[in-house]
Amino acid sequence: MRLEDEIKQESFRNEFHKLAVNLIYTHSWLVSKIQAILSEFDITPQQFNILRILRGQHPSPASITLLKERMLDKMSDASRLVDRLIQKGLVERKVCTSDRRKVDVIITDKGLKLLEEIDKTNEETDSYLKNLTLNEAKKLNELLDKLRG
Amino acid sequence: MRLEDEIKQESFRNEFHKLAVNLIYTHSWLVSKIQAILSEFDITPQQFNILRILRGQHPSPASITLLKERMLDKMSDASRLVDRLIQKGLVERKVCTSDRRKVDVIITDKGLKLLEEIDKTNEETDSYLKNLTLNEAKKLNELLDKLRG
DNA sequence: GTTCAATATATGTTATAACATTTAATGTTG
DNA sequence: CAACATTAAATGTTATAACATATATTGAAC
């Protein structure tokens, strides 16, 4: 569906301006889809992302800095995110024995099991994007990579 | 630059999954650029968007509902956004005489002037996106529209 | 005209991003 | 070894999205 119709704006200054608005709008569209799926598991998209990063590291722990590097936002609130995951019993935090400034963050078995359950929704998540063919998805990825320079 | 290199992840489940992550990452990249520019005017991207919508309506007022429809996020905090713009003297809020449930939100002269100043940064804003050719930008817009269905 | 449903918006709440600051620990230099 | 610089993460703060709720007003039905 055309952006102009969806936000009821007749025109843009130019194609680049339209692109900026389109990215912002489409991001919001996508994230709300993902959020709807994840809310059934009582988890937010950002918390989910942390769990996946930790699973990728498992059984090694991850530091807060490593989590930040792997996350999609430039300066995320990783420490507080981890706090909330600890409350949910999905991760544990330990003092790092080799460097007392660091903490070791580890995913729990409960966290791993939750990810397994969520993995079962992969088909549904992908389906939202399958308005595009595989080649179109590839093209879109290439263009996004090029856009960032 | 390739997404895999930027977030230090070697692979994705499939192209569609990569696309989801790429959209989230690119959005964050873009918004931080826009934010840097707007912060010099002491305004957030969302506040800026409200001002632009109100300028488009000027001299007619806009209701909160209209603002919400025109905004890029599904369920934005329009009322509180307007509060903060009022504090900055950039908009005014009046009771709507024809329907006391509604309020009329109007941009002030100060708000209009600020937008004129910000308009001078358009070239800079566009320049971030000019890693793409015009045709590539068009293609990207088409694909994003198609993606949402 | 009265009753009830729908509507508009303000407000409450949680989670998050972003930026700043604080505090303690580690690394570097002399 | 001491002094200072750097680092890691926790914490403070503001703004926002999203969802829920509250309250007052308007519209619809009878």
Side-chain angles (χ1 to χ4, degrees), chain B residues 32 61 90 111:
Chain B
S32 72
L90 301 175

Side-chain angles (χ1 to χ4, degrees), chain A residues 145 148, chain B residues 1-7 12 18 22 25:
Chain A
D145 286 346
R148 294 193 306 277
Chain B
M1 189 169 174
R2 283 185 2 121
L3 181 63
E4 289 90 338
D5 299 327
E6 292 195 71
I7 66 169
F12 294 94
K18 177 177 173 177
N22 214 346
Y25 188 73

Side-chain angles (χ1 to χ4, degrees), chain B residues 69-99:
Chain B
E69 285 171 353
R70 297 285 171 78
M71 292 177 75
L72 302 177
D73 298 294
K74 193 178 78 174
M75 184 177 279
S76 63
D77 214 11
S79 192
R80 274 180 278 228
L81 269 172
V82 168
D83 283 344
R84 282 183 282 266
L85 286 168
I86 287 168
Q87 277 173 31
K88 293 181 178 179
L90 301 175
V91 312
E92 290 178 333
R93 181 202 267 125
K94 295 175 162 98
V95 176
C96 175
T97 48
S98 59
D99 184 340

Side-chain angles (χ1 to χ4, degrees), chain B residues 28 35 63-65 77 79-80 83 93 101-103:
Chain B
S28 180
Q35 226 160 311
S63 67
I64 300 283
T65 301
D77 214 11
S79 192
R80 274 180 278 228
D83 283 344
R93 181 202 267 125
R101 291 172 303 184
K102 294 191 178 196
V103 294

Side-chain angles (χ1 to χ4, degrees), chain A residues 4 6 11 41 46 53-54 94 96 114 121 124:
Chain A
E4 289 90 338
E6 291 194 71
S11 63
F41 301 95
Q46 292 81 9
I53 293 164
L54 291 174
K94 295 179 161 83
C96 174
L114 182 66
T121 68
E124 187 186 351

Side-chain angles (χ1 to χ4, degrees), chain B residues 21-38:
Chain B
V21 176
N22 214 346
L23 277 168
I24 293 169
Y25 188 73
T26 304
H27 167 266
S28 180
W29 171 87
L30 176 63
V31 168
S32 72
K33 303 276 184 200
I34 293 170
Q35 226 160 311
I37 293 173
L38 292 177

Side-chain angles (χ1 to χ4, degrees), chain A residues 37-66:
Chain A
I37 293 173
L38 293 177
S39 69
E40 302 197 18
F41 301 95
D42 187 35
I43 200 173
T44 67
Q46 292 81 9
Q47 290 171 6
F48 172 58
N49 196 25
I50 292 272
L51 290 179
R52 277 183 44 257
I53 293 164
L54 291 174
R55 182 170 61 173
Q57 289 290 117
H58 196 254
S60 298
S63 65
I64 300 280
T65 302
L66 182 141

